[in-house]
Amino acid sequence: MNGPIEFSVTAVEGGARSGRIVTPHGAIETPAFMPVGTRAAVKAMAPDELWSMGYRMVLANAYHLAIRPGAELIHEMGGVARFMGFPGAVLTDSGGFQAMSLAKINSINEAGIRFRSHLDGAPLMLTPESAIDIQQQLGADIMMALDECTPFPAEHSRALKSLEMTARWAERSLAARKSTTQALFGIIQGSIFEDLRKISAAQITSIAFDGYAAGGLSVGEPKAAMLEMAALSASMMPSDKPRYLMGVGTPSDLLAAIAMGFDMFDCVLPTRNARNGMAFTSTGPVTIKQAAHARDSTPLDSACECRPCRTHSRAYLRHLYLSGEILAARALTEHNLHFFARLMRESRDAIASGNFKAYAMVTAAAWREAEPAVSGDL
């Protein structure tokens, strides 16, 4: 490889595109969804199970791993992928999201983000430089520049100040990188203000990152505003680099974002909602605790070939969930992640065959009503 990663586009249909990202830990076919393994573990799933579903890259969080067990320990253990026993690639978030999600225990200034550990109150200063150092020690295939994830709602002046600091931090993040084998992505901010998104996109894409991300979305803003700002961000990202939409989302959001030209996604929805008894299916969401499933001998999704759908009835899954059995979280999480993996695989196939627009229209139809909201990072 000429750089830390290689990216190629293999097919295009309208704005949608399929491609390939080659990393030191293998190749990822795009569009790709990354399961969230905040603390180097995707909740309720073993790494080999993720691999067997087709996942080739997972996400971990630099802030949480720096707090426990510590970046130095993970470095000693051979890096985060080896530490968790995952044979594929890992992308690490810088900790910028925690500037918003853990706002009560941090303060932000030009130097960086000063945290009090959510575990024991111990101080942690996360700067653009230290965030890169931590991620280099973690051995991530793709690192993220430290940014300030602008909260919603934010006044125009506040969002402008935030994105300008994010741009300065981006320059410092790139200057701090020493590794030649780890990619680094920059993050576009700007809240839901069109002019600010354009300013931030121009600033971040002028910096020679290996890929670019749209951040600060799906943080409480109206759905229409999220989609509008995502599309604007995508339109201003280089076509020869991976485009990453952070923290999104529902099946219809993902399909809409693929149509915009995004390549990479992550979200806690499939795992968190599973633990709360909600399953993603080809006919829409299923809330397993509902009494309607008490004597239902059918699988969660008759169109699904995952292990829970082959072996468990809705009645049994409802029983497990209401009984507080760990198997309920395991089975629903496995099903949901299988659903998201299939959504990406079918999207790639549809783009390659020139049928993505039709595929997305049919697939999203079941998800136009009552889509579940998501927030947070665990």
Side-chain angles (χ1 to χ4, degrees):
M1 295 188 295
N2 295 326
I5 60 171
E6 286 185 357
F7 174 66
S8 57
V9 175
T10 55
V12 175
E13 183 196 335
R17 61 191 197 168
S18 60
R20 200 165 193 255
I21 302 171
V22 180
T23 77
H25 286 96
I28 301 98
E29 304 298 324
T30 63
F33 181 85
M34 297 176 287
V36 176
T38 301
R39 300 180 179 91
V42 175
K43 290 184 185 298
M45 287 289 102
D48 64 315
E49 292 172 321
L50 299 171
W51 183 266
S52 69
M53 290 181 209
Y55 289 108
R56 297 296 179 261
M57 182 157 59
V58 298
L59 181 145
N61 185 272
Y63 163 80
H64 286 282
L65 293 178
I67 294 289
R68 185 171 59 191
E72 290 184 5
L73 185 150
I74 291 176
H75 179 71
E76 290 174 12
M77 300 297 291
V80 65
R82 182 174 293 180
F83 183 57
M84 66 185 291
F86 182 65
V90 176
L91 180 148
T92 48
D93 195 4
S94 65
F97 182 83
Q98 282 66 44
M100 181 188 71
S101 65
L102 301 176
K104 292 181 180 179
I105 59 171
N106 72 55
S107 59
I108 304 171
N109 57 37
E110 190 68 34
I113 310 167
R114 187 178 299 278
F115 290 96
R116 287 280 177 184
S117 167
H118 64 284
L119 298 179
D120 59 10
L124 171 68
M125 183 66 184
L126 199 61
T127 68
E129 293 79 13
S130 68
I132 295 300
D133 181 59
I134 289 167
Q135 292 179 88
Q136 288 182 152
Q137 289 189 74
L138 294 174
D141 295 270
I142 299 176
M143 308 182 291
M144 302 302 298
L146 186 66
D147 67 325
E148 184 188 4
C149 185
T150 310
F152 180 85
E155 293 181 355
H156 188 277
S157 59
R158 167 72 174 84
L160 175 60
K161 183 179 178 181
S162 175
L163 74 87
E164 288 179 337
M165 186 162 66
T166 287
R168 293 191 295 272
W169 284 2
E171 295 273 13
R172 289 167 57 189
S173 295
L174 188 62
R177 178 176 60 172
K178 298 180 179 67
S179 172
T180 59
T181 60
Q182 294 171 274
L184 179 60
F185 284 20
I187 305 173
I188 296 166
Q189 290 290 338
S191 188
I192 61 169
F193 302 104
E194 181 178 348
D195 61 327
L196 298 188
R197 280 275 157 187
K198 289 180 177 178
I199 290 170
S200 184
Q203 290 174 336
I204 299 301
T205 59
S206 71
I207 303 171
F209 288 113
D210 301 299
Y212 299 92
L217 295 174
S218 197
V219 294
E221 75 279 3
K223 174 69 68 76
M226 183 276 285
L227 293 172
E228 183 182 354
M229 293 302 104
L232 178 61
S233 300
S235 72
M236 298 189 69
M237 293 178 177
S239 60
D240 62 342
K241 300 286 181 70
R243 301 169 180 153
Y244 171 22
L245 180 58
M246 305 180 77
V248 176
T250 64
S252 60
D253 287 347
L254 292 170
L255 292 168
I258 291 170
M260 297 170 192
F262 281 103
D263 309 297
M264 300 163 60
F265 310 93
D266 79 279
C267 190
V268 298
L269 261 184
T271 48
R272 174 181 286 171
N273 284 29
R275 300 193 302 278
N276 291 324
M278 180 262 177
F280 292 83
T281 79
S282 57
T283 56
V286 169
T287 304
I288 201 64
K289 67 181 179 182
Q290 291 177 343
H293 306 304
R295 290 177 171 79
D296 192 338
S297 61
T298 64
L300 275 174
D301 188 348
S302 60
C304 182
E305 298 179 353
C306 76
R307 179 172 57 182
C309 283
R310 294 196 314 269
T311 57
H312 301 326
S313 67
R314 292 188 179 196
Y316 181 57
L317 290 170
R318 180 176 185 270
H319 161 69
L320 292 175
Y321 182 76
L322 294 178
S323 301
E325 287 290 339
I326 294 172
L327 183 55
R330 291 251 315 136
L332 290 171
T333 301
E334 181 176 352
H335 166 79
N336 282 353
L337 286 174
H338 193 280
F339 176 92
F340 275 60
R342 189 179 77 209
L343 185 71
M344 293 295 110
R345 185 174 63 251
E346 291 178 349
S347 293
R348 293 192 295 267
D349 292 344
I351 294 168
S353 62
N355 295 317
F356 178 74
K357 185 177 180 180
Y359 166 77
M361 188 176 300
V362 171
T363 305
W367 288 91
R368 291 202 180 106
E369 302 294 331
E371 288 191 319
V374 61
S375 62
D377 62 330
L378 300 178

